[in-house]
Amino acid sequence: IKERDWSFLKHPLSTMVAIWLYYNIMQVLNPWAESKMAWLFTVRSVAISLFVYFIGLYAFKHDRRGLMMILKLVIGICFFGALYGLKQQHAGFSAQEKAWIMADKERFELYYQWGMLRIPSFCYDPTTFGILMACFALFCVALLVSGHLRARLKILLAIMAACSLWAMAFTGTRTAFALVPVGAVFYAGLIMNRRVLVVSLIAGLLGTAFVLKSTSSGVIYRIQSAFSPTKDDSMNLRLENQKKIQPYIQAHPIGGGLGSCGVWGKRFNPDSELSKFPHDSSFVRMAVELGWIGLILYTLLHYFVLRTGLYYFIRCRDPLIKALYAGITTWCFMLAVACYAQEAILQLPMNTIYNVFMAALVTLKNFDPAY
């Protein structure tokens, strides 16, 4: 405000973020919304967290060292999360964690499946942690295969990727299991490296054999079930729920208001039909709460994020900058896919990391010789 220099905001992605932010804030005037308090509690995670993006744009615009420090911090937090998750699996949960899980029946049913407790590490639930670990593993691989890092750093990245995949397996999150091959295919197609394509093909064949083998392990069976969606009762139920809600979405172009479904819907509008609707997916939630107009804007937001990453990945020349663009773009693509099945971006720490990464996509190119 003191400098009065807003040039760092002049970017297509910033314009799209501003439009999305404005649309969410204006939902307070939605005539179909049944509660202003539900809007207030929901807008924080859906829209207000986007201010982290604008803060990142300003902080990173001329500060490569600061940007790299934040990226290292994200890597460190994710690795610590993987190690803590493995601790929960092999050394057990703490007394406080067990008490919290068992304090609520629905929460316990979410955590205890297939004869074991799913691990959440420091995240709110195992699903968020599983998706975080899947994205982090592919991010480490993207940095690992770039040819500019020292051998010691490559070994460390390989250990991080292995630990994150190991921890992900014990989250029991089928969305995360499916994201790994999806992200690998996207990354291999992005860099078009012969060695990476060969390794991806071999890994794909081994993965196919793993999915087809019979097993009595609950962990392995849950991984296998992620690749048999037609046999998954929960997926079929979600598809049925989506068909049922389509007429409502078509009849309400701006939706039923932020917070009309989910936790805040049950709290502030317990008698509403929308509060009882199991939306599951971020895309479905946006369509129900913000209407088909909001769904279009949310889809466009993902498009602009991916377009920004791809645009600068192709044009940058610095090996490290190029590797970071590949890793961050792959991470964002995996989250966009995950949003179809889960609320992948709205929970901490994913929403903060996502907004920091959006700012990094816009500012990393400032430190490349090509610009």
Side-chain angles (χ1 to χ4, degrees):
I1 294 174
K2 183 178 179 181
E3 294 176 5
R4 298 183 182 275
D5 179 12
W6 307 101
S7 59
F8 66 96
L9 295 176
K10 295 178 180 178
H11 191 277
L13 179 56
S14 299
T15 302
M16 188 63 235
V17 170
I19 293 172
W20 175 247
L21 182 62
Y22 178 77
Y23 183 79
N24 277 268
I25 292 175
M26 291 304 294
Q27 277 287 317
V28 70
L29 304 177
N30 189 332
W32 287 302
E34 298 186 21
S35 171
K36 295 291 190 294
M37 288 301 296
W39 169 86
L40 180 63
F41 276 75
T42 308
V43 78
R44 297 179 302 173
S45 59
V46 175
I48 300 301
S49 62
L50 285 171
F51 280 110
V52 173
Y53 164 74
F54 295 108
I55 295 170
L57 278 186
Y58 178 79
F60 302 151
K61 59 179 180 177
H62 301 306
D63 188 2
R64 172 171 177 155
R65 184 168 175 267
L67 174 54
M68 293 303 172
M69 183 183 70
I70 292 296
L71 292 177
K72 290 177 182 177
L73 178 63
V74 170
I75 292 172
I77 289 173
C78 291
F79 184 44
F80 174 73
L83 294 178
Y84 191 74
L86 292 174
K87 174 264 174 189
Q88 288 178 327
Q89 175 62 32
H90 298 291
F93 288 77
S94 68
Q96 292 85 353
E97 289 169 339
K98 285 183 178 179
W100 181 79
I101 292 172
M102 296 180 181
D104 183 90
K105 182 181 178 182
E106 291 185 7
R107 186 187 302 151
F108 178 76
E109 291 175 351
L110 172 67
Y111 276 72
Y112 189 79
Q113 296 179 7
W114 301 101
M116 59 176 287
L117 279 173
R118 301 166 62 191
I119 61 171
S121 187
F122 54 74
C123 296
Y124 177 74
D125 57 35
T127 300
T128 302
F129 180 55
I131 294 173
L132 178 65
M133 289 295 99
C135 295
F136 177 59
L138 267 293
F139 181 78
C140 290
V141 170
L143 296 181
L144 176 63
V145 300
S146 62
H148 69 285
L149 295 178
R150 295 191 298 271
R152 184 172 57 185
L153 290 177
K154 288 188 175 183
I155 293 172
L156 181 59
L157 285 169
I159 293 173
M160 289 180 177
C163 288
S164 58
L165 290 174
W166 188 11
M168 181 197 70
F170 295 112
T171 64
T173 306
R174 281 173 287 201
T175 301
F177 303 149
L179 283 180
V180 174
V182 168
V185 170
F186 177 84
Y187 176 71
L190 180 64
I191 64 172
M192 293 301 291
N193 181 287
R194 183 181 300 177
R195 183 177 60 180
V196 174
L197 289 173
V198 171
V199 172
S200 299
L201 179 61
I202 295 173
L205 293 174
L206 292 175
T208 302
F210 176 81
V211 169
L212 293 176
K213 72 182 289 290
S214 60
T215 179
S216 58
S217 169
V219 175
I220 297 177
Y221 178 78
R222 193 164 179 87
I223 295 175
Q224 292 173 336
S225 67
F227 302 95
S228 303
T230 56
K231 300 178 182 179
D232 185 2
D233 293 336
S234 63
M235 178 57 71
N236 292 330
L237 180 61
R238 291 183 185 190
L239 294 176
E240 289 179 11
N241 290 332
Q242 290 176 19
K243 287 184 179 180
K244 290 178 181 178
I245 203 66
Q246 282 178 3
Y248 178 87
I249 296 171
Q250 294 165 359
H252 296 77
I254 59 173
L258 273 177
S260 56
C261 54
V263 176
W264 302 124
K266 292 177 181 178
R267 176 174 173 179
F268 295 106
N269 308 301
D271 298 326
S272 169
E273 289 298 320
L274 291 183
S275 67
K276 303 169 187 175
F277 174 71
H279 55 277
D280 298 314
S281 160
S282 284
F283 286 114
V284 175
R285 175 178 176 176
M286 297 308 168
V288 173
E289 295 188 350
L290 302 176
W292 53 263
I293 294 176
L295 178 61
I296 291 173
L297 292 177
Y298 189 62
T299 307
L300 282 174
L301 177 63
H302 284 289
Y303 164 76
F304 273 90
V305 171
L306 296 175
R307 180 188 179 278
T308 301
L310 292 170
Y311 183 87
Y312 292 127
F313 169 78
I314 294 171
R315 286 160 177 78
C316 286
R317 295 293 175 263
D318 183 275
L320 177 59
I321 299 297
K322 206 170 182 67
L324 287 171
Y325 268 115
I328 293 174
T329 305
T330 301
W331 189 314
C332 293
F333 173 78
M334 293 170 70
L335 286 181
V337 174
C339 282
Y340 178 75
Q342 304 287 346
E343 289 189 285
I345 301 177
L346 299 182
Q347 298 288 348
L348 286 168
M350 197 70 80
N351 56 358
T352 302
I353 293 174
Y354 186 72
N355 288 314
V356 168
F357 277 176
M358 284 200 301
L361 288 177
V362 176
T363 54
L364 271 169
K365 56 97 168 51
N366 296 341
F367 314 111
D368 188 87
Y371 285 86

